Amino acid sequence: MPSNTTAPPGKKTAKKKGRRARLLLLVLVLALVAGIGFGGYWGVSTVRASFPQTTGEIRLDQLSADVEVKRDANGIPQIYADNEADLFRAQGYVQAQDRFYEMDVRRHVTAGRLSEMFGESQVDTDAFLRTLGWRRVAQEEYDKVLSPETKKYLQAYAEGVNAYLKDRAPKDVSVEYAALALTNDYTIEPWTPVDSVAWLKAMAWDLRGNMQDEIDRSLMTSRLSAKQIKQLYPEYPYALHQPIVDKGAVDESTGAFDPKADATEGDGTTTGDTQGTGPGGSSGGVSSQLGALSEVLDTVPALLGPNGNGIGSNSWVVSGRLTTSGKPLLANDPHLAPQLPSLWYQMGLHCRSVSATCRYDVAGYTFSGMPGVIIGHNDKIAWGLTNLGADVTDLYLEKIGPDGYLVDGKVKPFTSREETIKVAGGEDRKITVRSTGHGPLVSDRSSELETVGQKAPVGNAAPDRGTGYGVSLQWTALQPGKSMDAIFALDRAKDFTAFRAAAKNFEVPSQNLIYADTEGNIGYQSPGKIPQRTKGDGTLPAPGWDSSWKWKGYIPFEKLPYEENPKRGYIVTANQAVIDEKTYPDLLTRDWGYGSRSQRINDLIESKTKDGGKISPDDMRTMQTDNRSEIATLLNPLLLKIDISDPSVREAQKLLEGWDYTQEPDSAAAAYFNAVWRNVLKLAFGNKLPKELRAEGDCINVRPAEATGPVDEQNKLVRECGERDPDSAQPDGGDRWYEVVRPLLKQEKSEWWVTPGNRLDAPTETRDQLLAQAMKDARWELTAKLGKDVSTWSWGRLHQLTLKNQTLGTAGPGVVQKLLNRGPWNLGGGEAAVDATGWNAAGGYDVIWVPSMRMVVNVGDWDKSRWVNLTGASGHAFHSNYTDQTDAWAKGELYDWVYSKAAVEAAVKDTLVLKP
């Protein structure tokens, strides 16, 4: 089953049993495949059958000339061709050699066809994905929007993939198919160009912005007041954490952004009123039934990472006047879900002779299943990406009936279609997908969601709720776009003008793009299809029955912020605010990352360059692995002042004395501090949140949400357990919570410090009482996890990374994990540190997102650039390049990134010639 999926409400037990039964069968075949026990020879031959041929010659009928594939010791291919079509054909062939099973699973995700591979357990996930219609939109993009040139490249790529698949049995493509064959007569289908385009929809889904925050704020209304919710979503701290762009304004005469203009502070409002109580508007959000939607969202495979405050990236670029080389340096490390194989595939795509008919000489990180390079450099420019986090989704409450949905007092008919879900080992399922003018009715995918809005507080002008409101989703990625065109244009851009022209078509997902070139220029561009709202700010679901809440269009590209060669000499993007909303007229989002990582990078650059200092490539690498905890700088001094009488707790407290706030794998202080931080969050906030936000298994005694008056026999406390997947539960401990806690630490008394206690713990009423209780709870939690002797504690023993095969290695008996998974690795770093090995404080200490790759580009002297991937080039479980880069990655080390023909030749281990 794909990563990060859960069964739908009410069906978890049955599905877990069915999953376990299938996995027990898979254990048998995987044991044979790996050569365990009997069947050894057959197992070894089966494993090796799918390993790619990397030397000699192979004939591909579609090629027009020879293509060379040169691989280094890490299996990273550099492809050399005479024309563009052959270049992308070869890219398809080589990626299929190494990663086809991964590609195949991805296309089944994007098409809502997981049930065809994995059976009954994936029907509800498929139904939700079919409702979103990613594949349909991708088909429309290919048919009506993408350029003829892009379509030619996509077709060539598909030809290369299919040339690899031709005449190969599934077991000869990847070992997972040998296992799958035991319970499923699955047949591999040919690759299509639309399979490649659809992957951009999955990428956009996982980087969609604040949809989870929108749901969470609504769910909080069952327990918290509007004032309390506002405290838990503080405004971005512009005074502490500078935005990406610190100058510039929109020229009123042209409507375009001028990066050199002096910004003038406006009236504090942006396009779209702040959402709140209004005619027909939602004053407190949707009822807690929205928790069902959140649970459905948890079933969708998070291919890039848990959506929310943690997912993001670091990138920065430094001008040559501040570097030891005299040329720009550019660093990037996207923070995404740990996967095996890694999301990224390193590759070089080279025209032997760059000309008007063969324009590519590019290297970097690609996605298996998609032609082109996503992040990297060509011979003139380098670029990196981080998630901008623009608010590109809105949930709408819909007044629905048998004949349609209500808008401005009139009933409009649904747009409907039938979908058939094929199920391996089971009967086909048929679903009806209904859409309103805003988008698909996601509430149709859960019986619980049929009652969404039963208790939602709405204005007097709202229509009668009847049995409840439906919920529809409006999302920019459900409109056809040109992001695929943008990727090829980025790959061949030669200057900042061409780079910005390419960025204009990078519509979804909305990304921060940083830039450097061999002429010494650096730059930044914020692209994306970002909605302009007539009303509301996207922080809560909107009333769909009132057309005044509709989107009125999208922010013109010319109006989006950008920079070129800023005076400060560097640009940092790490999911912080792009620009101060007081000086920018359009709303990008209210839910930025809160800037802990970005400000730390800014501070490190400024510290290194003050008094004429210069930054080296190794300094850039060192910055990427900086693991200092910002929240520790605020909280630790207070913890040291707490008077602790319990000798065991005092022993743990002493670990924090003299601690420098770094989170090294062997640090006992980091282990204890992070445990204290987790327990502070639980006591002060977590236990006060509704069950829909708390982690599964987190059970507490609470007062019923509908209770009034004092607690008595008729109105007593009830046992309530959390319902959220631990990876997305709250409070997650990210830097939003830093900003929640920062002002509270100055207050000895606050309602947040008040806890009722339980039969073991005394109630708390003050900050120091709660901190003392958190220190005690942390001591005993780590005693249970790491032992009584604090000298043996270490952060890495708590904070572990296990790399899991995306499907068969994500659940089941240990033998399956042993065969397909790797690890664990004891890691340093942490949540909201620059070395962002993320963990969710509500769910535990395990690593759930990581720097999925790291690169430092030495602009102009390309062969001195360096890079590393999370895993390795190969997706074959027993191949030498399966996880050969992971140890170096865990240590913060980088490999040489060869680019020039001479450097590639010097590093070559294997050469394969593809011949027509």
Side-chain angles (χ1 to χ4, degrees), residues 565-877:
N565 297 323
K567 184 178 180 181
R568 64 184 177 277
Y570 60 89
I571 301 168
V572 175
T573 82
N575 318 115
Q576 80 271 41
V578 169
I579 191 168
D580 194 326
E581 63 182 25
K582 293 180 180 178
T583 63
Y584 187 72
D586 285 277
L587 176 67
L588 300 177
T589 185
R590 299 276 187 215
D591 291 306
W592 301 110
Y594 280 75
S596 291
R597 285 179 286 110
S598 62
Q599 193 57 47
R600 176 62 175 166
I601 297 167
N602 279 314
D603 292 345
L604 289 169
I605 293 172
E606 290 175 8
S607 174
K608 188 68 180 178
T609 57
K610 70 179 180 180
D611 302 325
K614 302 288 186 179
I615 293 177
S616 69
D618 198 53
D619 291 329
M620 299 284 276
R621 182 198 65 80
T622 300
M623 291 178 196
Q624 286 182 325
T625 57
D626 181 85
N627 57 31
R628 182 173 180 264
S629 169
E630 182 186 345
I631 190 60
T633 68
L634 300 175
L635 184 55
N636 200 63
L638 293 175
L639 298 179
L640 291 174
K641 293 179 181 179
I642 302 294
D643 185 13
I644 300 294
S645 58
D646 185 318
S648 294
V649 181
R650 173 63 183 137
E651 184 182 29
Q653 184 188 36
K654 288 180 180 180
L655 295 173
L656 304 177
E657 295 175 357
W659 179 43
D660 61 1
Y661 312 134
T662 60
Q663 301 175 91
E664 297 294 335
D666 61 355
S667 172
Y672 182 56
F673 174 81
N674 283 315
V676 174
W677 171 236
R678 166 173 151 84
N679 281 279
V680 167
L681 291 171
K682 179 179 174 65
L683 291 169
F685 309 104
N687 291 349
K688 296 163 188 172
L689 297 178
K691 63 182 182 296
E692 295 90 352
L693 271 71
R694 299 200 318 274
E696 289 177 332
D698 178 12
C699 299
I700 56 175
N701 293 321
V702 298
R703 185 180 185 184
E706 66 275 7
T708 59
V711 176
D712 54 29
E713 287 302 315
Q714 286 74 42
N715 190 19
K716 58 187 178 181
L717 299 179
V718 296
R719 191 71 169 164
E720 184 182 86
C721 295
E723 298 177 351
R724 180 71 61 85
D725 184 291
D727 288 357
S728 57
Q730 292 293 334
D732 62 18
D735 61 358
R736 171 165 68 88
W737 292 97
Y738 295 6
E739 296 309 313
V740 171
V741 170
R742 187 189 302 273
L744 293 177
L745 291 178
K746 299 175 183 178
Q747 304 172 31
E748 179 62 24
K749 290 195 173 184
S750 164
E751 62 182 327
W752 296 109
W753 302 135
V754 177
T755 66
N758 57 41
R759 63 186 181 85
L760 297 176
D761 302 324
T764 66
E765 297 181 353
T766 67
R767 178 197 65 197
D768 288 354
Q769 287 175 351
L770 186 138
L771 295 182
Q773 186 61 53
M775 293 172 76
K776 176 183 175 183
D777 291 349
R779 185 1 164 165
W780 299 119
E781 181 185 5
L782 294 199
T783 297
K785 292 180 180 294
L786 301 179
K788 185 177 180 181
D789 184 355
V790 300
S791 69
T792 66
W793 291 0
S794 70
W795 176 224
R797 287 178 60 203
L798 275 180
H799 190 54
Q800 294 186 323
L801 168 67
T802 298
L803 293 172
K804 296 183 178 181
N805 176 279
Q806 279 292 88
T807 54
L808 305 183
T810 58
V815 66
V816 174
Q817 298 180 16
K818 183 176 180 180
L819 293 173
L820 296 179
N821 300 342
R822 299 294 181 269
W825 282 266
N826 295 348
L827 297 185
E831 178 62 38
V834 178
D835 184 13
T837 55
W839 56 286
N840 187 308
Y845 303 98
D846 286 344
V847 176
I848 59 172
W849 54 76
V850 293
S852 55
M853 62 80 159
R854 296 188 184 99
M855 73 178 195
V856 174
V857 182
N858 200 320
V859 176
D861 198 352
W862 304 114
D863 291 331
K864 291 185 179 178
S865 301
R866 310 200 77 200
W867 62 355
V868 72
N869 204 348
L870 172 64
T871 61
S874 180
H876 299 286

Side-chain angles (χ1 to χ4, degrees), residues 4 12 83-84 97 210 226 245 348-349 525 574 728 828 880 897 905:
N4 295 319
K12 293 181 180 178
N83 61 75
E84 293 173 351
Q97 279 187 308
N210 78 333
V245 176
L349 300 172
Q525 177 68 58
S728 57
S880 60
W897 177 352
E905 288 292 346

Side-chain angles (χ1 to χ4, degrees), residues 307-364:
N307 186 265
N309 196 41
I311 193 170
S313 306
N314 299 325
S315 71
W316 66 95
V317 60
V318 182
S319 168
R321 67 181 174 84
L322 299 177
T323 69
T324 56
S325 67
K327 293 285 188 179
L329 295 173
L330 185 150
N332 197 186
D333 55 287
H335 306 156
L336 305 170
Q339 300 179 19
L340 184 57
S342 165
L343 180 82
W344 300 108
Y345 183 90
Q346 297 152 288
M347 180 175 253
L349 300 172
H350 308 278
C351 291
R352 289 194 181 95
S353 178
V354 177
S355 65
T357 58
C358 195
R359 295 164 290 174
Y360 294 90
D361 189 13
V362 60

Side-chain angles (χ1 to χ4, degrees), residues 70-191:
K70 298 178 180 292
R71 295 177 184 257
D72 64 12
N74 293 117
I76 300 169
Q78 305 283 340
I79 299 177
Y80 292 87
D82 290 334
N83 61 75
E84 293 173 351
D86 281 353
L87 190 64
F88 294 116
R89 281 189 192 97
Q91 184 181 14
Y93 186 91
V94 171
Q95 288 191 340
Q97 279 187 308
D98 285 337
R99 298 283 193 94
F100 183 77
Y101 180 75
E102 174 194 16
M103 294 163 57
D104 200 15
V105 171
R106 283 181 181 175
R107 68 166 164 177
H108 280 76
V109 170
T110 58
R113 296 174 56 194
L114 287 167
S115 300
E116 295 178 23
M117 295 186 80
F118 304 109
E120 181 80 18
S121 67
Q122 299 305 304
V123 168
D124 292 289
T125 299
D126 282 344
F128 188 77
L129 292 166
R130 296 285 185 97
T131 299
L132 294 180
W134 293 349
R135 172 75 186 205
R136 293 172 60 86
V137 179
Q139 185 71 58
E140 192 173 354
E141 285 181 359
Y142 184 79
D143 291 341
K144 301 178 181 179
V145 177
L146 295 179
S147 71
E149 182 178 69
T150 294
K151 290 162 75 167
K152 181 180 75 172
Y153 296 156
L154 289 164
Q155 290 163 357
Y157 181 90
E159 288 171 0
V161 175
N162 292 328
Y164 175 73
L165 295 175
K166 185 180 179 182
D167 300 328
R168 277 187 169 82
K171 68 180 179 62
D172 296 330
V173 174
S174 188
V175 69
E176 289 91 340
Y177 291 115
L180 205 58
L182 188 65
T183 57
N184 186 355
D185 58 354
Y186 177 75
T187 301
I188 297 174
E189 295 178 356
W191 193 263

